């Protein structure tokens, strides 16, 4: 339920409401507004009409509204305005800028990651991506450089100033990854790994949650809820393509998920046309379409030598193609009332 406090409610009145909420077995989340505070109380609301009525009669409370959606903290019911998530002091996502995250699928060597970082920065990317821990379909495929890869990402950040996003694959390595990353990425295969979601919910770093390849939009929002209910409200959602009967593309990038999500949640939404299509030749078209559909960010794989990439070479753009994409993207962003 949402408890809307009166605009002149005192600190003591708020504390009393918070105490009461906890006593009743709910987890409170205070959202500070410009004129009044709102308290989101999360818990099972079945049969709690009486609870709602008793809180409504407390001092300083204006109204109590039940949250009907299964996802509560992620829902627009609890927060109407879009969330702007701070990535660094000078970069945020969820505002008017479309944030572009670019880089290789996997960190492979110092030369590869630094060269790519410099190239994507020059082309106008805002965040450097690169996997150090790789969740691969085959146990025989390259599994990533692990901590060595994280150190190389940190070096690339130092050289270019670009913040980094990298994947966390299990709860055990989450703290280590968080020491290096500016944004933690949860991959499609882990999108319903609830222990991992809870773990990153306890870390104070933005999390980009990718949609599971067979997940509904509602399930994606429920996974976001797992992270948020642990205290981390800095969640970014990513549409990266879903499994369909189509084989011409690696996945089917569900562009309609973008306006659906924007209508359901206040969280920023990113699209990943690289994994969404699996072919470099389709990445630009789907990036522009995603911009038109209202995304807050794009994640694009770029490799200096895609033919020799250890993973996802066929969907990786060369720096030259990425540069061309970025200059055209500017026009689509402008048409959508956004900047890049
Ligand atoms: C990736 O970003 O390289 C990745 C593994 O993505 P996904 O989890 O969407 O397959
Ligand atoms: Mn990849």
């Amino acid at each position: 339920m949402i408890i809307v406090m009166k605009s002149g409610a005192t600190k003591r009145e708020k504390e009393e409401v918070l105490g009461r909420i906890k006593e009743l077995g709910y987890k409170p989340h205070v959202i500070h507004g410009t004129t009044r505070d709102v308290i989101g109380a999360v818990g099972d609301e079945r049969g709690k009409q009486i609870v709602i009525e008793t809180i409504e009669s407390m001092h300083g409370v204006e109204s109590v509204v039940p949250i009907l959606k299964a996802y509560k903290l992620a829902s627009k019911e609890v927060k109407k305005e879009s969330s702007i998530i701070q990535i660094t002091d000078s970069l945020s996502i969820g505002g008017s800028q479309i944030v572009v995250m670019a880089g290789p699928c996997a960190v492979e060597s110092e030369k590869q990651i630094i060269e790519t970082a410099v190239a994507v920065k020059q082309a106008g990317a805002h965040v450097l991506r690169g996997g150090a821990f790789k969740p691969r379909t085959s146990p025989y495929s390259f599994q990533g450089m692990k901590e060595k890869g994280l150190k190389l990402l940190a070096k690339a950040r130092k050289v270019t100033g670009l913040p980094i996003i990298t994947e966390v694959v299990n709860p055990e390595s989450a703290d280590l990854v968080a020491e290096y990353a500016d944004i933690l990425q949860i991959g499609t295969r882990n999108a319903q790994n609830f222990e991992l979601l809870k773990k990153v919910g306890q870390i104070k770093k933005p999390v980009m949650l990718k949609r599971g390849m067979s997940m509904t939009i509602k399930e994606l929002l429920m996974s976001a809820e797992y992270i948020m209910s642990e205290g981390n409200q800095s969640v970014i959602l990513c549409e990266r393509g879903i499994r369909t009967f189509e084989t011409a593309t690696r996945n089917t990038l569900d562009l309609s998920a973008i306006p659906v999500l924007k209508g359901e949640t206040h969280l920023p939404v990113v699209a990943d046309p690289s994994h969404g299509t699996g072919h470099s030749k389709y990445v630009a078209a789907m990036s522009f379409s995603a911009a038109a559909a209202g995304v807050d960010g794009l994640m694009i794989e770029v490799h200096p030598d895609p033919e020799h990439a250890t993973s996802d070479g066929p969907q990786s753009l060369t720096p030259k193609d990425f540069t061309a994409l970025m200059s055209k993207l500017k026009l689509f962003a402008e048409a959508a009332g956004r900047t890049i």
Side-chain angles (χ1 to χ4, degrees):
M1 67 190 123
I2 304 163
I3 295 118
V4 183
M5 299 301 294
K6 287 188 177 146
S7 56
T10 64
K11 198 164 168 245
R12 170 107 188 266
E13 286 168 343
K14 273 179 238 169
E15 272 161 15
E16 273 178 17
V17 172
L18 287 173
R20 188 62 176 278
I21 289 168
K22 285 188 205 152
E23 217 174 80
L24 293 164
Y26 287 84
K27 208 165 168 181
H29 296 264
V30 183
I31 300 152
H32 299 287
T34 39
T35 55
R36 66 188 72 220
D37 285 347
V38 165
I39 302 168
V42 182
D44 190 351
E45 283 185 27
R46 282 171 300 176
K48 295 279 174 72
Q49 190 54 36
I50 292 171
V51 171
I52 291 173
E53 281 164 17
T54 59
I55 296 176
E56 212 153 39
S57 64
M58 290 180 78
H59 290 294
V61 174
E62 175 143 321
S63 61
V64 181
V65 190
I67 316 173
L68 302 172
K69 297 275 184 192
Y71 38 91
K72 301 181 188 298
L73 298 170
S75 152
K76 270 203 163 166
E77 278 185 43
V78 81
K79 185 169 181 279
K80 285 190 179 50
E81 66 278 16
S82 298
S83 283
I84 297 180
I85 294 172
Q86 213 61 41
I87 297 167
T88 62
D89 289 345
S90 56
L91 182 69
S92 60
I93 183 162
S96 61
Q97 186 181 30
I98 297 179
V99 172
V100 180
M101 312 179 193
C105 181
V107 180
E108 296 165 4
S109 68
E110 178 164 343
K111 182 172 179 292
Q112 174 244 21
I113 194 65
I114 303 283
E115 200 177 313
T116 313
V118 169
V120 299
K121 160 106 193 218
Q122 198 162 13
H126 311 101
V127 177
L128 174 67
R129 65 146 286 147
F133 290 85
K134 294 302 303 174
R136 304 302 300 279
T137 301
S138 164
Y140 309 119
S141 300
F142 175 60
Q143 304 284 311
M145 291 183 79
K146 309 205 163 67
E147 191 169 6
K148 228 166 130 188
L150 295 174
K151 285 193 177 13
L152 293 179
L153 282 167
K155 193 159 185 186
R157 170 174 52 204
K158 206 162 174 203
V159 172
T160 58
L162 290 177
I164 55 185
I165 178 166
T166 194
E167 184 165 351
V168 187
V169 294
N170 55 41
E172 297 74 38
S173 62
D175 290 316
L176 174 73
V177 177
E179 275 177 40
Y180 294 90
D182 298 286
I183 309 171
L184 302 171
Q185 176 174 323
I186 302 291
T188 195
R189 294 160 188 82
N190 272 316
Q192 286 186 310
N193 178 341
F194 302 122
E195 293 310 311
L196 179 58
L197 299 176
K198 284 193 254 176
K199 174 68 194 175
V200 297
Q202 291 153 10
I203 297 176
K204 287 185 174 44
K205 281 272 161 91
V207 175
M208 188 176 87
L209 171 66
K210 287 188 142 192
R211 179 179 183 181
M213 58 185 92
S214 300
M215 255 163 99
T216 63
I217 292 171
K218 184 176 171 189
E219 285 165 340
L220 173 64
L221 289 165
M222 292 309 294
S223 285
E225 197 73 18
Y226 261 96
I227 302 170
M228 299 174 86
S229 64
E230 290 293 324
N232 188 350
Q233 309 303 306
S234 300
V235 179
I236 302 157
L237 303 170
C238 178
E239 164 56 43
R240 52 77 70 200
I242 51 173
R243 282 252 164 107
T244 68
F245 51 82
E246 185 54 73
T247 54
T249 47
R250 182 181 177 187
N251 292 289
T252 298
L253 186 70
D254 181 9
L255 283 176
S256 60
I258 299 162
V260 173
L261 284 168
K262 296 299 287 180
E264 289 293 310
T265 177
H266 52 88
L267 299 173
V269 179
V270 165
D272 172 352
S274 304
H275 294 87
T277 63
H279 297 277
S280 57
K281 61 176 180 248
Y282 306 134
V283 170
M286 296 317 281
S287 300
F288 307 150
S289 313
V295 277
D296 300 297
L298 288 166
M299 168 165 268
I300 298 172
E301 286 188 338
V302 178
H303 195 287
D305 183 10
E307 277 182 27
H308 295 101
T310 54
S311 63
D312 289 349
Q315 67 192 35
S316 299
L317 299 184
T318 59
K320 185 166 167 267
D321 288 342
F322 178 66
T323 305
L325 181 155
M326 287 297 281
S327 57
K328 224 167 160 188
L329 178 64
K330 197 162 176 279
L331 304 172
F332 285 94
E334 270 168 25
R338 313 288 288 264
T339 57
I340 57 167

